[in-house]
Amino acid sequence: MNFESYMAKRFIKSKPYKNTVSSILSIVIGIVMMIISISSSVGLQKTIESKVSSFFGHISVSDFENNSSFSSINPLNNDFDYNLLSNNRIKYFEKVAYKSALIIKGKSFEGVVFKGLSADFNWKNFSNYINTGRVPSLNNDVSNEVLISENLSKKLLINLDDKFEATFFKSSSASNPNKRIFKVVGIYSSGLTEFDEVYFFGDIRHVQKMNKWTKDEFGNIEIFLKKYSYTNDVSDDLYNQTPPNISVMSINEKFPEIFNWMSLFDFNVLLIIIIMILVGGINMITALLVTVLEKTTVIGILKTIGASNKSIRSIFLINGTYLIGLGLLIGNLIGTGIIFFQNLTGFIKLDPQTYYVSEFPFDYNFLSLVLLNLGVLFFCFLMLIIPSYIITRISPSNSIRTK
């Protein structure tokens, strides 16, 4: 152990001052706030992205005329090259079709959108949101089984195994509307109210018959990617390689209000990190200055016996680094403890009408946590360097005589 480390250890073992304890506490509070902010922001973004993509995929490909309506007006024609979907960033894709409708039940009615699915539809992403019942069976003849939202179930008083009639209007107002009787076999709740109020799911063959399409025609291709971060790149690639009559739209473009709102989280988290580092750093500077003043005589003696200013500064910087490290250790234990307890119990609740989730979702990433701690340690240490130069202005004779 060198001289600087030995003296710093003696300082650490000495009775702590009130400002020292408050400095450690500020570091603890700061790192807890930063851990919670980052993990909650990332967790909320991932949860909302997962929910939205479960409804529509990450990218939707359709005829341009389908963009201006809730219904699939024209089938996706043969101009689309399916070889474009062999991209290794694409996980899988679904062929679907939409049709707007009206459900009347007693004195209640709701405007809805029917999403037609094929028999080989992958329910893996969406099945997590099914509260009651099962997914519709679409394998045999045209199936009347549907999956509706808990929101629609409550509004229209439609329960599991109930039947209801849906009216599908045609593009020509003079034509008689199509009517279908459906049976509810499952009820879902995604927490995305604006979608839960509108969409219900069933057999795509209903849409094909009403639109007089062949069994191979459909309205949209919904593409699911391996990672959300691929969305913009894959969307741009597809857009540049498809004919002008085909629309390629990412979920970022389809729902800009949701994703623009989510992007604000990053700015807020950055602001919290900057404020917490400044608060922690200022408190550490205060602790360093008070410690220097309290140890003025010791500094004078050390200078008298030949210790250099650089050596004495190192003693106080090591001491400050130890205090920062102690604060980080305690803060990490508290922060990660809160995260795991929340993920286990869900004790922090949110209003799904505002945040699209009913419980605060935390995402724990070890690498991000390590980088955060290293960043806090670095910047707080950097803020201690300049104030430590006050040691060079302490005169050995004056400090010893004053004592």
Side-chain angles (χ1 to χ4, degrees):
M1 182 182 295
N2 58 28
F3 170 71
E4 291 83 1
S5 299
Y6 173 77
M7 291 301 301
K9 187 176 180 181
R10 293 296 300 271
F11 284 4
I12 291 167
K13 287 184 176 181
S14 63
K15 184 178 179 180
Y17 299 101
K18 183 178 179 180
N19 67 286
T20 300
V21 176
S22 65
S23 299
I24 295 175
L25 186 60
S26 70
I27 295 293
V28 171
I29 294 173
I31 194 66
V32 169
M33 290 289 293
M34 286 185 272
I35 291 173
I36 296 299
S37 299
I38 293 174
S39 59
S40 63
S41 173
V42 174
L44 199 57
Q45 288 176 332
K46 284 186 176 181
T47 302
I48 296 173
E49 174 272 315
S50 176
K51 288 186 176 186
V52 176
S53 63
S54 294
F55 271 91
F56 308 101
H58 295 95
I59 301 170
S60 178
V61 179
S62 67
D63 186 276
F64 253 114
E65 286 194 33
N66 295 347
N67 285 342
S68 59
S69 172
F70 282 109
S71 296
S72 300
I73 300 172
N74 295 329
L76 192 64
N77 58 34
N78 295 325
D79 292 339
F80 183 75
D81 183 6
Y82 286 91
N83 291 323
L84 298 176
L85 302 182
S86 60
N87 191 314
N88 59 10
R89 292 174 291 184
I90 295 176
K91 193 174 183 180
Y92 63 92
F93 61 90
E94 303 285 3
K95 298 176 182 179
V96 302
Y98 293 89
K99 193 76 172 175
S100 56
L102 184 68
I103 298 176
I104 301 176
K105 183 75 171 179
K107 295 182 179 180
S108 302
F109 64 91
E110 287 291 331
V112 295
V113 175
F114 176 79
K115 181 173 183 176
L117 313 172
S118 61
D120 57 355
F121 183 80
N122 188 339
W123 289 97
K124 183 178 180 181
N125 288 338
F126 201 83
S127 59
N128 295 327
Y129 308 127
I130 299 177
N131 296 338
T132 310
R134 57 177 174 81
V135 300
S137 177
L138 310 175
N139 293 317
N140 301 318
D141 295 332
V142 180
S143 173
N144 288 327
E145 295 184 351
V146 294
L147 180 71
I148 70 168
S149 70
E150 186 177 302
N151 189 299
L152 288 175
S153 173
K154 290 178 178 178
K155 282 186 175 181
L156 297 170
L157 301 178
I158 301 174
N159 300 313
L160 194 66
D161 296 325
D162 285 355
K163 292 183 179 180
F164 65 90
E165 183 181 79
T167 302
F168 296 87
F169 297 98
K170 296 181 180 179
S171 55
S172 173
S173 58
S175 302
N176 292 327
N178 296 115
K179 294 185 178 182
R180 294 289 188 276
I181 301 295
F182 294 113
K183 179 183 178 181
V184 178
V185 296
I187 298 175
Y188 76 89
S189 177
S190 71
L192 297 170
T193 307
E194 57 192 271
F195 300 148
D196 289 359
E197 289 179 339
V198 176
Y199 292 93
F200 71 109
F201 304 83
D203 197 330
I204 192 175
R205 287 171 287 190
H206 288 292
V207 181
Q208 290 170 336
K209 283 189 174 184
M210 287 185 279
N211 288 354
K212 296 181 180 180
W213 294 349
T214 67
K215 64 179 182 179
D216 296 323
E217 291 181 313
F218 49 90
N220 300 63
I221 294 176
E222 294 180 343
I223 301 170
F224 295 80
L225 304 177
K226 294 178 180 178
K227 292 182 180 180
Y228 167 73
S229 56
Y230 297 153
T231 301
N232 290 334
D233 289 340
V234 176
S235 178
D236 290 342
D237 289 344
L238 288 174
Y239 179 83
N240 293 328
Q241 298 179 68
T242 51
N245 62 309
I246 291 179
S247 168
V248 178
M249 184 175 292
S250 69
I251 53 173
N252 298 331
E253 298 169 312
K254 196 168 188 176
F255 306 104
E257 66 283 352
I258 293 178
F259 289 92
N260 288 339
W261 173 70
M262 286 167 54
S263 65
L264 293 176
F265 296 166
D266 297 330
F267 174 77
N268 293 338
V269 169
L270 180 62
L271 191 62
I272 289 172
I273 290 174
I274 292 173
I275 292 173
M276 290 297 104
I277 288 178
L278 286 175
V279 171
I282 291 170
N283 273 278
M284 290 306 304
I285 290 172
T286 303
L288 174 66
L289 294 176
V290 172
T291 304
V292 169
L293 293 175
E294 294 288 347
K295 302 290 185 182
T296 302
T297 303
V298 176
I299 294 171
I301 294 172
L302 291 174
K303 286 189 174 184
T304 301
I305 62 176
S308 65
N309 286 323
K310 181 180 178 181
S311 179
I312 298 172
R313 284 178 56 239
S314 297
I315 294 171
F316 286 93
L317 289 175
I318 292 171
N319 184 59
T321 304
Y322 167 80
L323 297 178
I324 296 170
L326 182 61
L328 291 176
L329 176 62
I330 298 172
N332 277 275
L333 291 175
I334 296 173
T336 53
I338 292 173
I339 290 173
F340 285 116
F341 187 68
Q342 168 65 15
N343 289 341
L344 185 65
T345 64
F347 73 100
I348 303 177
K349 303 295 182 182
L350 292 175
D351 180 9
Q353 299 281 347
T354 304
Y355 296 99
Y356 304 109
V357 292
S358 57
E359 297 176 355
F360 222 132
F362 285 118
D363 181 78
Y364 181 84
N365 185 287
F366 180 74
L367 179 59
S368 298
L369 189 64
V370 171
L371 293 176
L372 175 66
N373 279 271
L374 290 177
V376 172
L377 182 62
F378 172 76
F379 284 109
C380 286
F381 178 80
L382 206 62
M383 293 173 72
L384 291 178
I385 292 177
I386 295 177
S388 69
Y389 277 97
I390 195 174
I391 293 169
T392 61
R393 304 184 64 181
I394 297 177
S395 169
S397 57
N398 290 337
S399 61
I400 296 174
R401 186 185 305 118
T402 301
K403 188 67 177 179

